[in-house]
Amino acid sequence: MRVVSQKPTMRGFWCVALCIAASGLGCVFTSGDGDGLFDPYEPDSSDGEWQQDVEDRREQRDNPRSADYRGDFEVELESELFTLSIDGAALGEATFVHVGQDLAGTPPHCQLTLADREPDAAGRQGYIIVQVLGDSCDLDVGVYDVYESVDEAFRNDGKVAVKTVQVNEETDSATHFYTFGAASGELEVLQVDAGSLIQAYLDVKMGEVEVDDKAAVASSMTVLGGFGAVAAP
């Protein structure tokens, strides 16, 4: 047997309060005749079309034969703070772009971005930015040592730096930002199709973390996974 509570609801409380406040004008709340402020929402017929459009655009981002394809990747992030899988499905992307000059004064480099914008069940999403020094994104196939900054890579005759691994966490009770740095490890470039595709595998360890923009502290995170990045639109 279903039991219906007799306790007044907050909606009922506010309806009464507003009726009293507007006693000089009369109450406008109704029980569903179409003239009240709180009548049940009836979805517009275009809502279904909008949802279908969203799904179609997501499919185009995941379709390698589409002009809107945004690449693919699958990376596991594992630390003492959390474990997170990020990938290129739906709102994700694996893209590259050559940067001749940026506001930080970084030398010319190919910037690879692996971004997952769809939160998991714990409210976490993340992205990785890798920088490869050079005058183009036509990288040579092979294994590269990874450094924690472009400057360090340059000083050691290296080419690859992991600029950042960022994880955002948002729940009903709190929001946190994790920025991992002090990278070391390897980037293995497996295949390059000039100007259109970079396939590679990332095996990196991050040695520090900033939580909510506080001072960096020692940490340990492994970053393992592969990607097929396409030219950014």
Side-chain angles (χ1 to χ4, degrees), residues 105-116:
T106 309
H109 61 278
C110 181
Q111 181 160 298
L112 298 153
T113 301
L114 313 179
D116 186 346

Side-chain angles (χ1 to χ4, degrees), residues 34 40 46 58 71 84 86 102 104 110 113 118 137 145 150 220 231:
S46 63
R58 287 191 176 203
L84 175 63
I86 58 176
D102 62 20
C110 181
T113 301
E118 197 148 37
C137 286
D145 290 331
V150 167
S220 177

Side-chain angles (χ1 to χ4, degrees), residues 65-164:
R65 293 180 295 276
S66 167
D68 295 324
Y69 181 54
R70 291 294 181 268
D72 193 21
F73 74 96
E74 189 170 345
V75 175
E76 296 289 328
L77 309 177
E78 186 170 346
S79 74
E80 69 274 18
L81 297 172
F82 52 77
T83 298
L84 175 63
S85 298
I86 58 176
D87 60 51
L91 296 180
E93 70 174 57
T95 57
F96 67 83
V97 62
H98 188 263
V99 180
Q101 185 177 13
D102 62 20
L103 296 179
T106 309
H109 61 278
C110 181
Q111 181 160 298
L112 298 153
T113 301
L114 313 179
D116 186 346
R117 299 179 181 84
E118 197 148 37
D120 66 3
R124 300 189 186 106
Q125 58 184 304
Y127 65 87
I128 302 167
I129 295 179
V130 179
Q131 296 173 317
V132 185
L133 290 171
D135 293 327
S136 76
C137 286
D138 294 337
L139 311 182
D140 293 329
V141 171
V143 178
Y144 298 84
D145 290 331
V146 168
Y147 295 89
E148 62 180 281
S149 69
V150 167
D151 288 341
E152 185 181 356
F154 185 78
R155 286 195 298 268
N156 290 276
D157 293 326
K159 295 191 69 171
V160 180
V162 172
K163 181 178 181 180
T164 187

